[in-house]
Amino acid sequence: MNPEEISKKRNIILIGFMGTGKSSVGCKLAEKLGWTFVDTDALIERKESLTIPEIFALHGESRFRETEHEVLHEALRQSSQIIATGGGAVLRRENRELMLERGWVVALTAAQDVIVRRVEQDPARPLLQGNARQRVAELMERRKDVYGFADVTIDTTDLTVEAIAELILARRQV
Ligand code: S3P
């Protein structure tokens, strides 16, 4: 990356499957850097004045994805932010392009069992309702290649939030 490219990349964007720790790590990073923490799921809920399960139930996933794109686009106009994205935000090509253009993209991964343990009891994830173990397995298989565009990938399976944040800072390019 030449200096001009690096200077445009003024955000750290966390991507990854549900339960990989994007929000906890994002908060920790924001604290360490003194940057603003932004969670796109929270922005979506604020914009729609509904919870995520309500958006899915009332308007469907396509409306959720549309709003997700809008809030990401708006957030990326600003700089010096840690942006935690929803696990499906990378599904649209335009979102992936926007992230790479406006931020340094860090993918968090974790072993399937660890993800299941982290998300199993959570009613706030509409895509995992029913048999969470089976849904995670299906979705992880379907999404196995979508996080590969990141600038850096970190396996969080055996790491604490603190250790992940430190690892990201050690490898930081913005
Ligand atoms: C989704 C992930 C969720 C949330 C929504 C859809 C996905 O965010 O955006 O339930 O498609 O993977 P987290 O990754 O923060 O759980």
Side-chain angles (χ1 to χ4, degrees):
M1 249 185 284
N2 66 41
E4 202 177 295
E5 275 175 317
I6 292 172
S7 71
K8 277 195 276 174
K9 291 180 169 281
R10 303 306 285 169
N11 296 294
I12 297 178
I13 303 169
L14 301 176
I15 64 165
F17 198 82
M18 293 173 262
T20 49
K22 295 163 296 200
S23 299
S24 338
V25 171
C27 276
K28 179 62 78 182
L29 274 176
E31 195 183 295
K32 284 177 181 286
L33 285 170
W35 286 14
T36 307
F37 174 65
V38 174
D39 186 319
T40 58
D41 283 344
L43 293 179
I44 295 167
E45 291 188 323
R46 199 183 314 154
K47 189 165 182 137
E48 296 282 357
S49 301
L50 292 169
T51 65
I52 288 174
E54 285 168 343
I55 301 168
F56 272 74
L58 294 170
H59 303 299
E61 183 173 347
S62 61
R63 163 76 167 264
F64 175 83
R65 296 295 172 209
E66 201 50 47
T67 310
E68 183 172 58
H69 171 70
E70 286 167 17
V71 302
L72 182 68
H73 195 254
E74 284 158 22
L76 284 173
R77 293 207 183 101
Q78 311 295 321
S79 295
S80 304
Q81 308 168 102
I82 310 294
I83 303 182
T85 60
V90 297
L91 297 174
R92 286 196 181 190
R93 186 168 53 87
E94 65 228 277
N95 288 354
R96 298 194 296 269
E97 288 171 357
L98 206 53
M99 290 181 202
L100 286 173
E101 194 183 304
R102 297 286 308 155
W104 179 57
V105 182
V106 178
L108 301 184
T109 64
Q112 194 164 308
D113 274 353
V114 171
I115 289 182
V116 171
R117 215 181 311 131
R118 289 179 188 166
V119 301
E120 211 157 29
Q121 307 300 336
D122 187 354
R125 291 186 170 96
L127 294 179
L128 301 182
Q129 295 316 296
N131 183 335
R133 180 165 291 275
Q134 195 182 325
R135 292 293 295 138
V136 167
E138 283 165 9
L139 270 180
M140 278 185 92
E141 172 59 25
R142 210 184 306 154
R143 292 183 180 174
K144 64 180 188 299
D145 298 322
V146 297
Y147 304 105
F149 75 99
D151 295 303
V152 174
T153 299
I154 293 175
D155 183 352
T156 68
T157 304
D158 298 315
L159 299 177
T160 61
V161 169
E162 173 70 26
I164 302 161
E166 283 301 324
L167 203 54
I168 292 173
L169 291 180
R171 301 176 70 175
R172 165 162 101 103
Q173 293 166 18
V174 285

